[in-house]
Amino acid sequence: MSEPPPDHRAHDLVGLLTRAERLSTRRLRAVLSETGCSVDAWRVMSLLADGEGHGMTAIAECVLLPPPTLTRLVDQLVDDGVVHRRVDPVDRRRILAYLTPRGVEFWRHLDERVRASWESLPVGGGDDELLGALLRRLITGLEGAPAEPAQSRAGWAAG
């Protein structure tokens, strides 16, 4: 069997990545639903779990949320007592978000549930580390590469 043309392989890869993302998000949502935590809130708390404090712009970029949506979500997490904000000691104009002690405990509980769910999948043997490394490499390449200009409709129709 011959290999598909390179542009077809890219289409297949995008399809596989999209399907994997949707299925993993569905699985994550099912695990988190019993806790009352949304996938977006879990992503924010997972980032903040490093204890370093993060600005809203960095959080928005990492969790792929538009700033207004992220602000509402963080406001809710603050109201729930799992996140607090502090002025950045280096740049007093910036506000950093951190998990509260209650937030750390909640995140640990969530993390245990999520890890148990992923460990029950029939993949393993280091595949998750390999997959993570390959995805990070792909992301780095995509972030640094300019997008190819789209073909004009005339060029598309003629081809």
Side-chain angles (χ1 to χ4, degrees):
M1 185 172 184
S2 65
E3 268 189 52
D7 60 338
H8 187 70
R9 284 192 306 244
H11 175 74
D12 288 347
L13 180 59
V14 169
L16 289 170
L17 289 168
T18 301
R19 183 153 172 79
E21 188 275 335
R22 290 182 181 166
L23 290 170
S24 61
T25 300
R26 183 185 309 157
R27 182 179 193 91
L28 185 57
R29 188 176 298 118
V31 170
L32 296 174
S33 68
E34 299 169 11
T35 68
C37 183
S38 70
V39 171
D40 288 335
W42 176 80
R43 287 179 175 149
V44 169
M45 288 189 293
S46 294
L47 177 63
L48 299 180
D50 66 9
E52 295 180 13
H54 296 273
M56 295 297 279
T57 301
I59 297 170
E61 289 173 3
C62 186
V63 300
L64 305 173
L65 287 176
T69 303
L70 176 64
T71 298
R72 284 190 299 274
L73 177 58
V74 171
D75 287 346
Q76 183 60 55
L77 293 171
V78 168
D79 290 347
D80 293 343
V82 295
V83 170
H84 67 96
R85 297 179 179 115
R86 284 190 193 149
V87 174
D88 184 341
V90 176
D91 181 353
R92 303 207 43 86
R93 296 169 294 176
R94 276 182 26 143
I95 302 296
L96 301 178
Y98 298 84
L99 289 180
T100 63
R102 179 177 174 209
V104 170
E105 285 302 313
F106 185 48
W107 181 81
R108 285 183 182 149
H109 169 72
L110 296 173
D111 189 52
E112 287 174 15
R113 294 176 63 94
V114 169
R115 285 179 189 270
S117 171
W118 285 105
E119 288 172 2
S120 71
L121 291 174
V123 295
D127 288 348
D128 52 347
E129 289 179 23
L130 174 60
L131 179 59
L134 291 171
L135 288 171
R136 282 187 288 281
R137 194 167 100 194
L138 175 62
I139 290 166
T140 299
L142 289 171
E143 286 176 337
E148 294 290 323
Q151 291 182 338
S152 69
R153 291 199 185 272
W156 178 75

